[in-house]
């Protein structure tokens, strides 16, 4: 048995050499890891008793088995984070197969495209597209979001003037039921 942490929880990889007893022995030292979302990677030769023991151990620790998949299915490898230590000016474009961190502002007319998160330690006035490859868990974070358009995965949100006073301080945009929601960072 192998245990590894991921961005979304813990993955337990079980194979035919595992037994219910060896699983329980291995998990005795790692029970605290089972309290959240769990993915089980199993192969066809895994004894049913091992799968039952894993399910029972997760249930006892208050966790939840979110997925059961064959071991050949691996999560998409993460790309490298691109860090830009300046303001991105109008007409500039930054792309990454990972996350993008801008240590400055993103001016109107600039574009930031990332397969993971977009983080702006400044004001975001340009277009930001997080989760460009379909990552629904990606977020856009900035000290202040004044962008005319945000994209996360396939979802699109355009700025509107609803007359309500805006929150002052860091903001985060994320997906909730397929729609982009903008909220203060501290909530």
């Amino acid at each position: 048995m192998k245990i590894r942490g991921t961005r979304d929880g813990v993955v337990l990889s079980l194979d035919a050499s595992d037994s219910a007893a060896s699983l329980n022995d291995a998990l005795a030292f790692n029970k605290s890891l089972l309290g959240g979302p769990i993915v089980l990677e199993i192969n066809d030769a895994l004894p049913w008793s091992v799968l039952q023991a894993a399910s029972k151990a997760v249930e006892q620790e208050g966790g939840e088995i979110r997925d059961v998949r064959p071991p050949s299915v691996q999560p998409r490898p993460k790309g490298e984070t691109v860090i830009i230590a300046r303001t991105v000016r109008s007409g500039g474009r930054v792309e990454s197969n990972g996350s993008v961190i801008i240590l400055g502002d993103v001016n109107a007319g600039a574009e930031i495209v990332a397969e993971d998160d977009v983080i702006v330690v400044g004001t975001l006035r340009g277009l930001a597209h997080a989760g460009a490859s379909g990552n629904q868990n990606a977020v856009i974070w900035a000290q202040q979001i004044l962008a005319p358009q945000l994209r996360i995965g396939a979802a699109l949100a355009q700025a509107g003037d609803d007359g309500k006073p805006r929150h002052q301080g860091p903001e985060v945009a994320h997906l909730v039921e397929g729609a982009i929601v903008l909220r203060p960072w501290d909530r």
Side-chain angles (χ1 to χ4, degrees), residues 136-137 150-157 174-181:
Q136 301 291 311
N137 295 319
L150 298 176
R151 295 179 183 179
I152 299 176
L156 169 73
H174 58 99
L175 285 180
V176 175
E177 296 178 8
I180 296 175
V181 174

Side-chain angles (χ1 to χ4, degrees), residues 101-169:
I101 299 173
I102 306 293
L103 303 176
D105 295 335
V106 176
N107 289 344
E111 202 173 334
I112 310 299
V113 179
E115 290 188 18
D116 289 323
D117 302 328
V118 172
I119 300 169
V120 180
V121 183
T123 301
L124 173 61
R125 292 184 184 92
L127 179 134
H129 187 177
S133 63
N135 179 356
Q136 301 291 311
N137 295 319
V139 299
I140 299 171
W141 182 94
Q143 288 291 334
Q144 188 173 25
I145 297 178
L146 300 174
Q149 185 180 97
L150 298 176
R151 295 179 183 179
I152 299 176
L156 169 73
Q158 293 189 343
D161 188 12
D162 56 8
K164 296 180 183 175
R166 291 198 33 101
H167 170 78
Q168 295 300 313

Side-chain angles (χ1 to χ4, degrees), residues 6-23:
T6 67
R7 185 178 206 174
D8 300 319
V10 173
V11 176
L12 293 178
S13 295
L14 307 171
D15 61 37
S17 66
D18 291 320
S19 68
S22 69
L23 176 77

Side-chain angles (χ1 to χ4, degrees), residues 14-146:
L14 307 171
D15 61 37
S17 66
D18 291 320
S19 68
S22 69
L23 176 77
N24 288 329
D25 290 344
L27 291 178
F29 300 105
N30 297 297
K31 287 201 182 270
S32 62
L33 298 175
L34 303 179
I38 304 291
V39 172
L40 293 179
E41 286 185 343
I42 62 170
N43 62 27
D44 292 338
L46 183 73
W48 181 250
S49 61
V50 176
L51 188 57
Q52 286 178 317
S55 176
K56 183 177 179 182
V58 169
E59 183 181 306
Q60 286 175 343
E61 294 304 315
E64 176 186 4
I65 296 176
R66 293 264 172 96
D67 193 15
V68 178
R69 63 184 183 209
S72 60
V73 177
Q74 296 296 321
R76 177 182 59 88
K78 297 290 180 192
E80 290 189 27
T81 297
V82 172
I83 300 173
I84 306 292
R86 62 177 165 72
T87 292
V88 180
R89 307 249 178 243
S90 180
R93 180 177 170 94
V94 178
E95 292 183 59
S96 173
N97 62 357
S99 294
V100 173
I101 299 173
I102 306 293
L103 303 176
D105 295 335
V106 176
N107 289 344
E111 202 173 334
I112 310 299
V113 179
E115 290 188 18
D116 289 323
D117 302 328
V118 172
I119 300 169
V120 180
V121 183
T123 301
L124 173 61
R125 292 184 184 92
L127 179 134
H129 187 177
S133 63
N135 179 356
Q136 301 291 311
N137 295 319
V139 299
I140 299 171
W141 182 94
Q143 288 291 334
Q144 188 173 25
I145 297 178
L146 300 174

